Amino acid sequence: MPSLNRKKPILAFFCNWAPYRCYMDLCRSESSFRHLIYPVKVMCSGRVDPAMVLFAFEKGAEGVMVLGCKDKECRYGPGPKQSTKIAEPIKALIHILGLESERFRSVKYSFNEKNRLLEEIDSFAKTVDKLKKSPFVP
Amino acid sequence: MNQNNILSEIIEKFQIFHCVECGKCTGACPLAQVDRDFSPRLVAKYVIEEGIDSEYVKEKAWTCLTCGLCNERCPIGISFTEFIRAIRPLFITEDFKGHLSHGGALQGLMRMQAAPDLNQNRIDWITGEHKISSQGEILYFTGCLTYLETFFSEMNLELKKIASDTVKILNSIGVEPVVLPDERCCGHDLIWIGDEISFHKLRSLNIESFKKAGVKTIITSCGECSYTLKNLYGQPEEDFPFEVMHISEYLQKIGFSAGKELSEIATYQDPCRLGRFMGVYDAPRQLLGSIMELREMPHFRAGAWCCGNSAWLHCDRYSKQMQVERLMEAKGTKSDLIVTACPKCQVHLTCAMNDVNLMQDLNMKIRDISSVIAESIE
Ligand code: SF4
Ligand code: SF4
């Protein structure tokens, strides 16, 4: 587990397959990004439900990412579609709670896209850093 | 004091020792009819015999719908539902046997509203046609409508419209109610799942804003909000009494006469909190009866069947079965629509209508009483 001395913690759910593979590849070649996120590995991005994302925000996450495989590359079938389906309601719900909807991001990867992953994490961390602190304290 | 002593005190307080084991509660319980393992009589028996370690009580304390049908039948007058509410906090242990529907997301949304510095966007349904105030004696408490409509967006329910219609009705009689942009959840579901800490946080935040706005009367469009604000907010601050009424009670009290007649035939689903818990049966019926034909289902008023769930606990095949049976009753009245006074009845019954196998047989229009009345005065 990378040490996380960030003031604005970000939680990232990684699907075990393509996104986690990218993450592992990245960990071997880069270290600049590792303090930016708390990685949580799940077997499929379709497993991440709104309750898990909201719980992360409740416990003080300043941003939450769900990183899944591309639609046609899912090992199980409907996973990425499921994770696309919950993205808009989650953004709408955190908006009602008064959080900016940019605090949630759902992105899809193929197994060889580690550089794209790095860019995404960087840009997400920059976005989150610009926002004021979340009112939810664990 | 250890857990067992606290439990003994609760047993004492609710007079569970007086149970004569007649089994009327189990006979009346809609859950016991579909789940043969569940029996309120046995909960009463085991809680006395085995106390805090009873496996049966540990599990069944969470499956009870808290619908209150058993209370109506108990010859001793035991308030079984209030007893369940009192013991639930004792069973939030590592061995928690409850099952929170939707992964606990809804309870999460409610707990999060207990954060002090919120800046919610919960009243986006207010447009130029609504007249509201920031200070005044009458407050409209909107409840969780905005959250629920968004969470269940797949069901296409018009829940925010309930809020909008309630304000329109009030405007039509010259009332410009206070609507708080940062109102918090009333906490009903949290206290019913035993989370008293979050409940009290929500309660203090709400009472503080009621005070600031100078509120004397609170109008709700939800049976649960009514029950919670009236009975559980307790009004300990002697200098700050407030009255709580469901919109139907308020309209009845001021002698409201609804507008044009509607051609549809309706059947009314009594929400448990508004009906059995608060005794409000007549006001909604009178209002609806004045604008449309009203037909009763076989189980109605104090005997009305539950919509299948409460406090987002244990949505399972038994809930589905109860919902299906309830919808069959509604269909049997040959009405055009079901009218209810609780947004959660709408969510639960609509969910059952979406059953792929039974869709044709169960599909029925369902609306809130506020929306029906608003249509009649348009
Ligand atoms: S409250 Fe309802 S579900 Fe619970 S025991 Fe009584 S009748 Fe049964
Ligand atoms: S109805 Fe009352 S007295 Fe009879 S078994 Fe149930 S709790 Fe006991």
Side-chain angles (χ1 to χ4, degrees), chain B residues 207-218:
Chain B
I207 291 192
E208 198 182 308
S209 15
F210 297 163
K211 267 190 187 164
K212 260 192 213 145
V215 172
K216 295 210 169 113
T217 303
I218 299 177

Side-chain angles (χ1 to χ4, degrees), chain A residues 55-67:
Chain A
F55 195 58
F57 281 116
E58 186 186 347
K59 290 292 169 201
E62 295 277 336
V64 178
M65 300 178 98
V66 175
L67 308 165

Side-chain angles (χ1 to χ4, degrees), chain B residues 25 28-32 38-40 63-71 80-81 84:
Chain B
C25 48
C29 173
L31 179 59
F38 181 77
S39 156
T63 46
C64 168
L65 306 163
T66 71
C67 68
L69 258 166
C70 51
N71 303 345
F80 190 76
T81 36
I84 290 287

Side-chain angles (χ1 to χ4, degrees), chain B residues 147-160:
Chain B
Y147 286 97
L148 290 184
E149 178 171 318
T150 312
F151 192 87
F152 294 104
S153 51
E154 269 197 345
M155 289 190 195
N156 294 320
L157 295 171
E158 295 184 313
L159 299 180
K160 288 198 258 183

Side-chain angles (χ1 to χ4, degrees), chain B residues 190-205:
Chain B
L190 294 180
I191 196 155
W192 281 93
I193 61 160
D195 183 356
E196 289 173 331
I197 296 173
S198 309
F199 171 78
H200 286 293
K201 283 188 196 156
L202 292 170
R203 177 180 162 279
S204 336
L205 287 164

Side-chain angles (χ1 to χ4, degrees), chain B residues 117-280:
Chain B
D117 301 317
L118 280 193
N119 202 355
Q120 298 173 82
N121 297 302
R122 52 152 58 229
I123 50 168
D124 60 348
W125 47 268
I126 291 183
T127 62
E129 351 167 55
H130 302 99
K131 291 194 219 82
I132 59 160
S133 359
S134 53
Q135 284 278 320
E137 297 197 349
I138 298 182
L139 175 133
Y140 167 47
F141 191 86
T142 60
C144 51
L145 295 166
T146 308
Y147 286 97
L148 290 184
E149 178 171 318
T150 312
F151 192 87
F152 294 104
S153 51
E154 269 197 345
M155 289 190 195
N156 294 320
L157 295 171
E158 295 184 313
L159 299 180
K160 288 198 258 183
K161 192 166 177 296
I162 301 176
S164 154
D165 286 337
T166 308
V167 172
K168 280 186 197 160
I169 298 170
L170 290 172
N171 286 169
S172 81
I173 48 174
V175 176
E176 295 182 10
V178 177
V179 177
L180 299 170
D182 251 320
E183 174 192 304
R184 309 304 162 102
C185 162
C186 70
H188 173 277
D189 295 344
L190 294 180
I191 196 155
W192 281 93
I193 61 160
D195 183 356
E196 289 173 331
I197 296 173
S198 309
F199 171 78
H200 286 293
K201 283 188 196 156
L202 292 170
R203 177 180 162 279
S204 336
L205 287 164
N206 273 330
I207 291 192
E208 198 182 308
S209 15
F210 297 163
K211 267 190 187 164
K212 260 192 213 145
V215 172
K216 295 210 169 113
T217 303
I218 299 177
I219 296 172
T220 75
S221 52
C222 163
E224 295 186 347
C225 294
S226 275
Y227 159 81
T228 310
L229 295 174
K230 192 166 184 165
N231 297 4
L232 307 180
Y233 271 40
Q235 310 183 11
E237 292 88 339
E238 291 297 311
D239 59 323
F240 184 61
F242 56 84
E243 197 182 7
V244 182
M245 275 185 268
H246 183 257
I247 177 82
S248 63
E249 290 177 275
Y250 180 75
L251 294 179
Q252 192 194 36
K253 187 179 150 204
I254 60 159
F256 174 84
S257 57
K260 63 170 190 284
E261 285 202 13
L262 306 176
S263 57
E264 286 167 307
I265 303 170
T267 184
Y268 178 66
Q269 158 77 10
D270 284 280
C272 53
R273 268 45 179 172
L274 193 64
R276 279 185 290 273
F277 283 46
M278 318 260 300
V280 180

Side-chain angles (χ1 to χ4, degrees), chain A residues 9-66:
Chain A
I10 291 171
L11 192 91
F13 291 101
F14 283 90
C15 159
N16 176 55
W17 303 101
Y20 199 66
R21 165 78 186 271
C22 297
Y23 176 74
M24 291 309 279
D25 284 352
L26 211 54
C27 287
R28 277 184 215 111
S29 58
E30 272 278 341
S31 60
S32 62
F33 75 101
R34 292 185 61 175
H35 67 287
L36 295 177
I37 54 168
Y38 275 114
V40 174
K41 189 169 79 168
V42 288
M43 281 313 286
C44 174
S45 58
R47 169 64 185 93
V48 180
D49 61 24
M52 292 158 79
V53 176
L54 289 170
F55 195 58
F57 281 116
E58 186 186 347
K59 290 292 169 201
E62 295 277 336
V64 178
M65 300 178 98
V66 175

